[in-house]
Amino acid sequence: MNTDQKMRQSTSASAYGGRAGTDAGDGDPPVRAKRFWSARRVPAGIVALAVFAVSGLLLYDVAAVRSGRPAMRWREWLADQLAARPLDDPWIMSGAALLAALGVWMVVLALTPGLRGLLPMRSPGAGAGAGAGAEKDVEDAEAGVAVRAGIDRASAGLVLRDRAMEVPGVRSARVDVGRRRIRARALAHFRDLDEVRADLDTALHEGIHQLGLARRPALSVRVRRSAKSKG
């Protein structure tokens, strides 16, 4: 990157809540919120149907053999193959690796929450100074009502993008929301790049605070001059 390109680009990477001059909400301690667990109905349904089909087929074949009928050809072929092939046979090794991979995949699905695209939000009235909201949470807790909220990462990105477009000098913006970091990229067509970057950084920090996320992500902001404005 030459000197002229460096002058047309300004980059800022800062941790959310770590800047001076932010509002009081940015100083609130982070709230520990559990991630949402996926029901995973589709994988569970596929496994259940596969187990049901294989078990039913084997049970039917065993009952047929017990009643004097010959076994199915596929079961005879499978038994012959397993008896004739050694353990180091490529087909045996491939089948074992496939079954092991499927088992690991099922264990991972069982132990991980999933729903990576859904970010947990603070419960109403979380933190100090919540007032009536905190009283309502106490009432809900006493009544056994669990209050949980979340926001889709794509929706959060659209909200922050609209915030970025309100900053004077921003021609276009793109905001990618991750679980731990938010990356904003903007094109400026007038004003000094450092001024646009500072205003954009402030606007996005305020927007992140208003989203009410339980875990405050880090914010990375990059601003560069649009191609139409370089001339």
Short mmCIF file of all heavy atoms in Angstrom, two decimals, residues 55-85:
data_model
loop_
_atom_site.label_atom_id
_atom_site.label_comp_id
_atom_site.label_asym_id
_atom_site.label_seq_id
_atom_site.Cartn_x
_atom_site.Cartn_y
_atom_site.Cartn_z
N SER A 55 -33.91 -51.30 11.97
CA SER A 55 -34.38 -52.25 12.98
C SER A 55 -35.58 -53.04 12.47
O SER A 55 -35.67 -54.26 12.68
CB SER A 55 -34.74 -51.51 14.27
OG SER A 55 -33.63 -50.80 14.78
N GLY A 56 -36.50 -52.38 11.83
CA GLY A 56 -37.67 -53.09 11.29
C GLY A 56 -37.29 -54.10 10.23
O GLY A 56 -37.83 -55.22 10.18
N LEU A 57 -36.33 -53.70 9.36
CA LEU A 57 -35.91 -54.63 8.31
C LEU A 57 -35.21 -55.84 8.89
O LEU A 57 -35.46 -57.00 8.46
CB LEU A 57 -34.99 -53.89 7.33
CG LEU A 57 -34.65 -54.61 6.02
CD1 LEU A 57 -35.92 -54.89 5.23
CD2 LEU A 57 -33.69 -53.77 5.20
N LEU A 58 -34.32 -55.63 9.87
CA LEU A 58 -33.63 -56.76 10.49
C LEU A 58 -34.60 -57.66 11.25
O LEU A 58 -34.49 -58.90 11.21
CB LEU A 58 -32.54 -56.24 11.42
CG LEU A 58 -31.30 -55.64 10.75
CD1 LEU A 58 -30.36 -55.07 11.80
CD2 LEU A 58 -30.58 -56.70 9.91
N LEU A 59 -35.56 -57.04 11.95
CA LEU A 59 -36.53 -57.84 12.69
C LEU A 59 -37.39 -58.69 11.75
O LEU A 59 -37.66 -59.87 12.02
CB LEU A 59 -37.43 -56.92 13.52
CG LEU A 59 -38.50 -57.60 14.38
CD1 LEU A 59 -37.84 -58.52 15.41
CD2 LEU A 59 -39.37 -56.56 15.07
N TYR A 60 -37.77 -58.10 10.62
CA TYR A 60 -38.55 -58.87 9.64
C TYR A 60 -37.73 -60.02 9.08
O TYR A 60 -38.23 -61.16 8.94
CB TYR A 60 -39.00 -57.95 8.51
CG TYR A 60 -39.65 -58.68 7.36
CD1 TYR A 60 -40.98 -59.09 7.43
CD2 TYR A 60 -38.91 -58.97 6.21
CE1 TYR A 60 -41.56 -59.78 6.37
CE2 TYR A 60 -39.48 -59.65 5.15
CZ TYR A 60 -40.81 -60.06 5.24
OH TYR A 60 -41.39 -60.76 4.19
N ASP A 61 -36.43 -59.77 8.79
CA ASP A 61 -35.60 -60.83 8.21
C ASP A 61 -35.34 -61.94 9.22
O ASP A 61 -35.38 -63.14 8.86
CB ASP A 61 -34.27 -60.22 7.74
CG ASP A 61 -33.49 -61.19 6.89
OD1 ASP A 61 -34.05 -61.77 5.95
OD2 ASP A 61 -32.28 -61.37 7.17
N VAL A 62 -35.10 -61.58 10.47
CA VAL A 62 -34.88 -62.59 11.50
C VAL A 62 -36.15 -63.43 11.69
O VAL A 62 -36.10 -64.67 11.82
CB VAL A 62 -34.45 -61.94 12.82
CG1 VAL A 62 -34.46 -62.96 13.96
CG2 VAL A 62 -33.07 -61.33 12.67
N ALA A 63 -37.31 -62.79 11.71
CA ALA A 63 -38.57 -63.52 11.86
C ALA A 63 -38.82 -64.44 10.67
O ALA A 63 -39.31 -65.58 10.83
CB ALA A 63 -39.72 -62.53 12.01
N ALA A 64 -38.43 -63.96 9.46
CA ALA A 64 -38.61 -64.81 8.28
C ALA A 64 -37.72 -66.04 8.34
O ALA A 64 -38.13 -67.15 7.98
CB ALA A 64 -38.32 -64.00 7.02
N VAL A 65 -36.45 -65.86 8.79
CA VAL A 65 -35.54 -67.01 8.90
C VAL A 65 -36.03 -67.98 9.96
O VAL A 65 -35.97 -69.20 9.78
CB VAL A 65 -34.12 -66.50 9.23
CG1 VAL A 65 -33.19 -67.67 9.55
CG2 VAL A 65 -33.55 -65.69 8.07
N ARG A 66 -36.55 -67.47 11.09
CA ARG A 66 -37.06 -68.35 12.15
C ARG A 66 -38.26 -69.15 11.68
O ARG A 66 -38.51 -70.27 12.15
CB ARG A 66 -37.46 -67.51 13.36
CG ARG A 66 -36.30 -66.86 14.08
CD ARG A 66 -35.43 -67.90 14.75
NE ARG A 66 -34.36 -67.26 15.54
CZ ARG A 66 -33.46 -67.96 16.21
NH1 ARG A 66 -33.49 -69.29 16.21
NH2 ARG A 66 -32.50 -67.33 16.90
N SER A 67 -39.01 -68.61 10.74
CA SER A 67 -40.18 -69.32 10.23
C SER A 67 -39.86 -70.27 9.08
O SER A 67 -40.76 -70.86 8.49
CB SER A 67 -41.25 -68.31 9.77
OG SER A 67 -40.75 -67.51 8.70
N GLY A 68 -38.57 -70.41 8.74
CA GLY A 68 -38.17 -71.36 7.73
C GLY A 68 -37.90 -70.78 6.36
O GLY A 68 -37.53 -71.51 5.43
N ARG A 69 -38.03 -69.49 6.21
CA ARG A 69 -37.79 -68.86 4.93
C ARG A 69 -36.31 -68.47 4.82
O ARG A 69 -35.64 -68.27 5.82
CB ARG A 69 -38.66 -67.63 4.75
CG ARG A 69 -40.16 -67.96 4.72
CD ARG A 69 -40.96 -66.69 4.53
NE ARG A 69 -42.39 -66.97 4.52
CZ ARG A 69 -43.32 -66.03 4.35
NH1 ARG A 69 -42.95 -64.76 4.21
NH2 ARG A 69 -44.59 -66.38 4.34
N PRO A 70 -35.81 -68.35 3.60
CA PRO A 70 -34.39 -67.97 3.44
C PRO A 70 -34.19 -66.49 3.80
O PRO A 70 -35.11 -65.67 3.69
CB PRO A 70 -34.12 -68.21 1.94
CG PRO A 70 -35.46 -68.11 1.29
CD PRO A 70 -36.46 -68.65 2.29
N ALA A 71 -32.98 -66.18 4.20
CA ALA A 71 -32.66 -64.80 4.56
C ALA A 71 -32.57 -63.94 3.30
O ALA A 71 -32.40 -64.45 2.18
CB ALA A 71 -31.33 -64.75 5.31
N MET A 72 -32.71 -62.65 3.48
CA MET A 72 -32.60 -61.72 2.35
C MET A 72 -31.19 -61.77 1.76
O MET A 72 -30.21 -62.02 2.45
CB MET A 72 -32.92 -60.30 2.81
CG MET A 72 -34.36 -60.10 3.22
SD MET A 72 -34.70 -58.36 3.66
CE MET A 72 -36.43 -58.46 4.03
N ARG A 73 -31.13 -61.53 0.45
CA ARG A 73 -29.85 -61.63 -0.24
C ARG A 73 -28.84 -60.60 0.28
O ARG A 73 -27.66 -60.90 0.37
CB ARG A 73 -30.07 -61.45 -1.74
CG ARG A 73 -30.84 -62.60 -2.38
CD ARG A 73 -30.95 -62.39 -3.89
NE ARG A 73 -31.67 -63.50 -4.52
CZ ARG A 73 -31.91 -63.56 -5.84
NH1 ARG A 73 -31.47 -62.57 -6.63
NH2 ARG A 73 -32.55 -64.60 -6.33
N TRP A 74 -29.33 -59.40 0.59
CA TRP A 74 -28.39 -58.37 1.03
C TRP A 74 -27.75 -58.75 2.36
O TRP A 74 -26.57 -58.46 2.60
CB TRP A 74 -29.09 -57.01 1.14
CG TRP A 74 -30.12 -56.92 2.25
CD1 TRP A 74 -31.43 -57.17 2.14
CD2 TRP A 74 -29.87 -56.57 3.61
NE1 TRP A 74 -32.07 -57.01 3.34
CE2 TRP A 74 -31.12 -56.63 4.27
CE3 TRP A 74 -28.75 -56.23 4.34
CZ2 TRP A 74 -31.26 -56.36 5.63
CZ3 TRP A 74 -28.89 -55.95 5.69
CH2 TRP A 74 -30.13 -56.01 6.32
N ARG A 75 -28.51 -59.44 3.24
CA ARG A 75 -27.94 -59.84 4.53
C ARG A 75 -26.97 -61.00 4.36
O ARG A 75 -25.92 -61.06 5.03
CB ARG A 75 -29.05 -60.21 5.52
CG ARG A 75 -28.55 -60.29 6.96
CD ARG A 75 -29.71 -60.17 7.92
NE ARG A 75 -30.52 -61.38 7.96
CZ ARG A 75 -30.33 -62.38 8.82
NH1 ARG A 75 -29.34 -62.34 9.69
NH2 ARG A 75 -31.13 -63.43 8.81
N GLU A 76 -27.25 -61.91 3.45
CA GLU A 76 -26.31 -62.99 3.17
C GLU A 76 -25.03 -62.44 2.56
O GLU A 76 -23.92 -62.86 2.91
CB GLU A 76 -26.95 -64.02 2.24
CG GLU A 76 -28.12 -64.79 2.87
CD GLU A 76 -28.71 -65.78 1.91
OE1 GLU A 76 -28.33 -65.73 0.69
OE2 GLU A 76 -29.54 -66.61 2.33
N TRP A 77 -25.20 -61.48 1.62
CA TRP A 77 -24.01 -60.89 0.99
C TRP A 77 -23.18 -60.13 2.02
O TRP A 77 -21.94 -60.22 2.02
CB TRP A 77 -24.45 -59.95 -0.13
CG TRP A 77 -23.31 -59.19 -0.77
CD1 TRP A 77 -22.52 -59.64 -1.79
CD2 TRP A 77 -22.86 -57.90 -0.41
NE1 TRP A 77 -21.58 -58.68 -2.10
CE2 TRP A 77 -21.77 -57.60 -1.28
CE3 TRP A 77 -23.26 -56.95 0.52
CZ2 TRP A 77 -21.07 -56.41 -1.22
CZ3 TRP A 77 -22.57 -55.76 0.59
CH2 TRP A 77 -21.49 -55.48 -0.26
N LEU A 78 -23.83 -59.40 2.90
CA LEU A 78 -23.11 -58.64 3.92
C LEU A 78 -22.38 -59.58 4.88
O LEU A 78 -21.22 -59.32 5.26
CB LEU A 78 -24.08 -57.75 4.68
CG LEU A 78 -23.48 -56.86 5.78
CD1 LEU A 78 -22.45 -55.91 5.18
CD2 LEU A 78 -24.58 -56.08 6.50
N ALA A 79 -23.03 -60.66 5.27
CA ALA A 79 -22.39 -61.61 6.17
C ALA A 79 -21.18 -62.27 5.51
O ALA A 79 -20.13 -62.47 6.14
CB ALA A 79 -23.40 -62.67 6.62
N ASP A 80 -21.31 -62.62 4.22
CA ASP A 80 -20.19 -63.22 3.50
C ASP A 80 -19.02 -62.25 3.38
O ASP A 80 -17.85 -62.63 3.53
CB ASP A 80 -20.64 -63.69 2.12
CG ASP A 80 -21.63 -64.85 2.18
OD1 ASP A 80 -21.65 -65.53 3.24
OD2 ASP A 80 -22.38 -65.03 1.21
N GLN A 81 -19.32 -60.99 3.09
CA GLN A 81 -18.27 -59.99 2.95
C GLN A 81 -17.54 -59.76 4.27
O GLN A 81 -16.31 -59.66 4.31
CB GLN A 81 -18.86 -58.67 2.45
CG GLN A 81 -19.37 -58.73 1.02
CD GLN A 81 -18.26 -58.97 0.01
OE1 GLN A 81 -17.16 -58.47 0.15
NE2 GLN A 81 -18.55 -59.78 -1.02
N LEU A 82 -18.29 -59.67 5.36
CA LEU A 82 -17.66 -59.46 6.66
C LEU A 82 -16.82 -60.66 7.09
O LEU A 82 -15.82 -60.51 7.78
CB LEU A 82 -18.74 -59.17 7.71
CG LEU A 82 -19.49 -57.84 7.56
CD1 LEU A 82 -20.58 -57.72 8.62
CD2 LEU A 82 -18.52 -56.65 7.68
N ALA A 83 -17.23 -61.86 6.67
CA ALA A 83 -16.47 -63.05 7.04
C ALA A 83 -15.23 -63.23 6.18
O ALA A 83 -14.23 -63.82 6.63
CB ALA A 83 -17.36 -64.29 6.93
N ALA A 84 -15.28 -62.76 4.92
CA ALA A 84 -14.17 -63.00 3.99
C ALA A 84 -13.12 -61.89 4.01
O ALA A 84 -11.94 -62.15 3.79
CB ALA A 84 -14.71 -63.17 2.57
N ARG A 85 -13.52 -60.66 4.26
CA ARG A 85 -12.58 -59.54 4.18
C ARG A 85 -11.82 -59.39 5.50
O ARG A 85 -12.41 -59.49 6.58
CB ARG A 85 -13.32 -58.24 3.87
CG ARG A 85 -13.92 -58.20 2.47
CD ARG A 85 -14.63 -56.89 2.22
NE ARG A 85 -15.21 -56.84 0.88
CZ ARG A 85 -14.56 -56.38 -0.20
NH1 ARG A 85 -13.32 -55.94 -0.09
NH2 ARG A 85 -15.17 -56.37 -1.37
#
